[in-house]
Amino acid sequence: MDKTTNGYHISFFKPTTPQARYNRNMVLWLVLIWVIAIFGFQLLLKLVEKPTPEAAYIKFQRAWPQVERGDASDKELAELGQATLSVLGKIMLSDDDKTVLTDGLSYSVYQLTPDSLKGELVAMIREFEQKRESIDNISNPDYIAAKMKLSDELSPVLNLSSLDIRSKILPLEIKSVGIEDLKEGTKTNLPKVMKKYLIHNQSFLTNFKFLGFPFHYFYTAVFLLILFVGLCLLYCILTDRVNAKLNIAD
């Protein structure tokens, strides 16, 4: 078919009428605004962000050199255990990272326990592990009681109060196997794992709160949706105006 003689052929990018040209230009401008609003903000976030460590990472950095040398004080060992628990409480952890963190936590609790009670500590953790493996429902009363008992026994070792959420997960994360020594793999990888989960890129765009939300979250999750609806409404209004200007009726 000869397209040059087809009166119904319409090209968005090669308009032949004033209305079609106006429509193309308007759509391109609105798309450009939308692209700048999305990717411009992401670029701005990248430009102004700075790596910011959590308080747990600062404590870990302070304690780790002494722990690695084997001459850490009780305070430094407790800070190691608290810092590893802070990461273990996060939802998204790889299995390898969790193994390293668990090893660091278990080692710190074992080292903080008096020599005369170390055997009792291992037996207590092992007993809870066996209880945990034997149940098929975590609402089992005996399991809950055993978990609370172990939490009450171990939390004071790490200077955790009963109100500290980390005391609730402590029984679930500590392991009895290999608790006596810090594995070489843990020595190598624990600093990397802590850095991975406890240092975040932040800026005034992420720290500033707007309507109760961090601004970058509000902008991405709420404002961009409102902007999209607004651009659609603007397209309709401008289309009506140009139709009226060109005397085009429905």
Side-chain angles (χ1 to χ4, degrees):
M1 181 180 293
D2 184 0
K3 294 183 178 180
T4 59
T5 60
N6 185 354
Y8 296 100
H9 176 69
I10 298 174
S11 172
F12 175 80
F13 295 101
K14 294 180 180 179
T16 57
T17 67
Q19 183 198 24
R21 279 194 292 273
Y22 185 87
N23 183 69
R24 177 202 60 185
N25 294 341
M26 183 170 57
V27 169
L28 291 179
W29 272 108
L30 294 177
V31 169
L32 181 61
I33 293 172
W34 179 244
V35 170
I36 291 175
I38 296 176
F39 297 102
F41 184 72
Q42 296 303 319
L43 179 61
L44 180 60
L45 277 175
K46 286 290 182 184
L47 291 175
V48 300
E49 69 184 11
K50 292 180 179 178
T52 305
E54 292 184 22
Y57 185 74
I58 296 173
K59 288 184 177 181
F60 170 79
Q61 270 194 315
R62 191 164 54 211
W64 180 246
Q66 291 72 249
V67 174
E68 196 173 21
R69 289 198 304 266
D71 58 0
S73 65
D74 287 355
K75 179 183 177 183
E76 290 161 344
L77 286 167
E79 287 181 339
L80 170 66
Q82 293 174 5
T84 52
L85 263 181
S86 295
V87 181
L88 284 164
K90 296 179 182 293
I91 297 176
M92 301 298 291
L93 294 176
S94 70
D95 291 340
D96 290 342
D97 292 346
K98 191 168 183 175
T99 299
V100 170
L101 292 163
T102 298
D103 189 39
L105 167 66
S106 303
Y107 173 79
S108 66
V109 173
Y110 185 80
Q111 293 300 318
L112 285 168
T113 302
D115 291 343
S116 59
L117 299 177
K118 279 183 166 57
E120 186 179 335
L121 169 71
V122 175
M124 189 166 49
I125 297 172
R126 191 170 295 146
E127 181 182 357
F128 177 72
E129 290 172 340
Q130 292 171 349
K131 172 73 70 178
R132 189 178 177 185
E133 291 174 358
S134 67
I135 64 165
D136 53 10
N137 191 331
I138 60 173
S139 61
N140 182 298
D142 292 338
Y143 166 75
I144 294 175
K147 178 185 169 186
M148 292 179 63
K149 180 182 177 183
L150 188 58
S151 175
D152 292 340
E153 293 286 345
L154 299 185
S155 294
V157 176
L158 294 180
N159 298 325
L160 297 175
S161 74
S162 59
L163 299 178
D164 193 321
I165 189 65
R166 292 174 295 185
S167 67
K168 311 303 179 189
I169 64 172
L170 177 54
L172 305 175
E173 304 299 346
I174 195 167
K175 303 296 179 188
S176 63
V177 177
I179 193 173
E180 298 85 357
D181 300 305
L182 203 58
K183 299 181 180 66
E184 285 303 317
T186 300
K187 288 183 179 179
T188 302
N189 295 317
L190 187 55
K192 301 175 186 175
V193 173
M194 299 298 281
K195 183 177 182 179
K196 176 180 178 181
Y197 292 100
L198 293 178
I199 295 183
H200 313 283
N201 290 323
Q202 296 182 355
S203 68
F204 65 94
L205 293 173
T206 58
N207 297 334
F208 174 66
K209 293 288 184 64
F210 184 75
L211 295 179
F213 298 99
F215 181 75
H216 70 295
Y217 175 82
F218 175 85
Y219 181 90
T220 305
V222 180
F223 175 76
L224 286 179
L225 291 177
I226 296 174
L227 177 63
F228 179 78
V229 174
L231 291 176
C232 293
L233 179 62
L234 179 63
Y235 173 80
C236 295
I237 294 173
L238 294 178
T239 298
D240 284 349
R241 286 185 180 178
V242 73
N243 285 347
K245 184 178 179 181
L246 296 175
N247 296 320
I248 298 175
D250 289 337

